[in-house]
Amino acid sequence: MDEFTLKNADAYDKISEKWQSVRSQLPMNECIIKFCRMLKPNAKILDVGCGTGYPIDKYLSDNGYLVKGIDISEKMIEKARLLNLQNADFEQCDFLSYQNAEQFDAIIAFDSLWHIPVDRQSEIYKKATTLLKSGGYFLFTHGNRTDTCEGEMFGEKFYYAALDEGRLTELLRKNAFEIVQIETNFKEETSGTRDLFAIVRKL
């Protein structure tokens, strides 16, 4: 992992207990429930930045989807494995380094892509298209400007990066994605507000 990612991984390790405590009280994300209606039964889904596996991966597993969860934080992955989800397995790995022989029906990257350094953001969509089957869907949240910034969560410092919407849409089309939905200042009761929310489909 690069230094940017390692710092975020260390920060997530340090807040894993508090993260789990908060996440265990949250309802399932409405946007994920709606997204699943677009997928076939028993679809194989990659969850990028799965955290402790709750609530998203538990919901996916309980509804018969086959889940692969990856996360940069060792502590988060340990907690996800302790859920003993029937249809899921978890691996500590960053997205751009992840390798898999089989392709997925869908990828979910909810609040995780912005932990990839700005100089590597353009690699995300090429990686996603190699991991998806034709016709596969990719749901993700994103920043809305080309920038790197710092933030704080539970007393730990985190690093964030993104590309602006114009560059993002250019990269999506270049990597054979059609845009199903893209929305700035996306807001819903179960998820709060995100700078940008997108669902795209591999052609």
Side-chain angles (χ1 to χ4, degrees):
M1 295 183 194
D2 56 80
E3 184 179 2
F4 186 94
T5 304
L6 284 170
K7 287 180 177 179
N8 282 321
D10 181 62
Y12 274 116
D13 281 347
K14 290 176 179 176
I15 71 164
S16 61
E17 292 290 341
K18 292 179 180 177
W19 175 274
Q20 184 179 48
S21 178
V22 170
R23 293 292 288 175
S24 65
Q25 305 300 315
L26 294 178
M28 184 56 206
N29 307 69
E30 183 182 347
C31 61
I32 303 295
I33 295 173
K34 291 179 179 178
F35 179 66
C36 288
R37 294 173 188 154
M38 305 170 70
L39 308 178
K40 67 180 183 180
N42 307 119
K44 186 175 181 181
I45 302 172
L46 175 65
D47 182 13
V48 179
C50 64
T52 60
Y54 190 93
I56 291 176
D57 295 325
K58 185 177 188 306
Y59 175 84
L60 297 175
S61 176
D62 288 350
N63 283 275
Y65 298 105
L66 306 177
V67 184
K68 176 70 177 187
I70 62 173
D71 199 281
I72 58 175
S73 166
E74 179 182 5
K75 297 296 184 183
M76 294 285 194
I77 289 295
E78 288 175 0
K79 293 181 184 306
R81 287 172 175 159
L82 289 174
L83 291 176
N84 293 315
L85 299 180
Q86 184 176 3
N87 302 312
D89 75 296
F90 299 94
E91 178 181 343
Q92 183 193 9
C93 184
D94 68 277
F95 179 53
L96 296 181
S97 299
Y98 177 67
Q99 300 290 332
N100 193 64
E102 297 181 39
Q103 292 179 309
F104 294 89
D105 299 294
I107 298 173
I108 294 172
F110 198 87
D111 292 356
S112 57
L113 299 183
W114 51 42
H115 289 313
I116 295 174
V118 69
D119 60 352
R120 301 198 69 191
Q121 283 277 318
S122 62
E123 299 176 40
I124 293 169
Y125 308 98
K126 181 177 181 180
K127 183 70 176 184
T129 200
T130 63
L131 290 170
L132 276 174
K133 298 176 182 177
S134 295
Y137 289 93
F138 183 20
L139 176 153
F140 60 92
T141 55
H142 199 275
N144 61 1
R145 66 181 187 273
T146 301
D147 198 5
T148 298
C149 64
E150 297 179 6
E152 187 176 298
M153 183 164 46
F154 298 124
E156 296 296 328
K157 186 180 291 185
F158 286 85
Y159 300 88
Y160 303 89
L163 302 175
D164 63 74
E165 186 178 347
R167 178 63 174 145
L168 169 64
T169 54
E170 175 187 334
L171 286 165
L172 288 168
R173 293 189 174 101
K174 181 180 179 181
N175 288 285
F177 285 108
E178 64 173 355
I179 295 172
V180 177
Q181 177 184 354
I182 192 164
E183 185 176 338
T184 56
N185 297 315
F186 175 79
K187 185 176 182 179
E188 63 177 15
E189 185 176 347
T190 55
S191 302
T193 302
R194 299 295 182 278
D195 288 343
L196 187 145
F197 173 86
I199 297 175
V200 299
R201 179 178 175 271
K202 180 180 173 180
L203 297 172

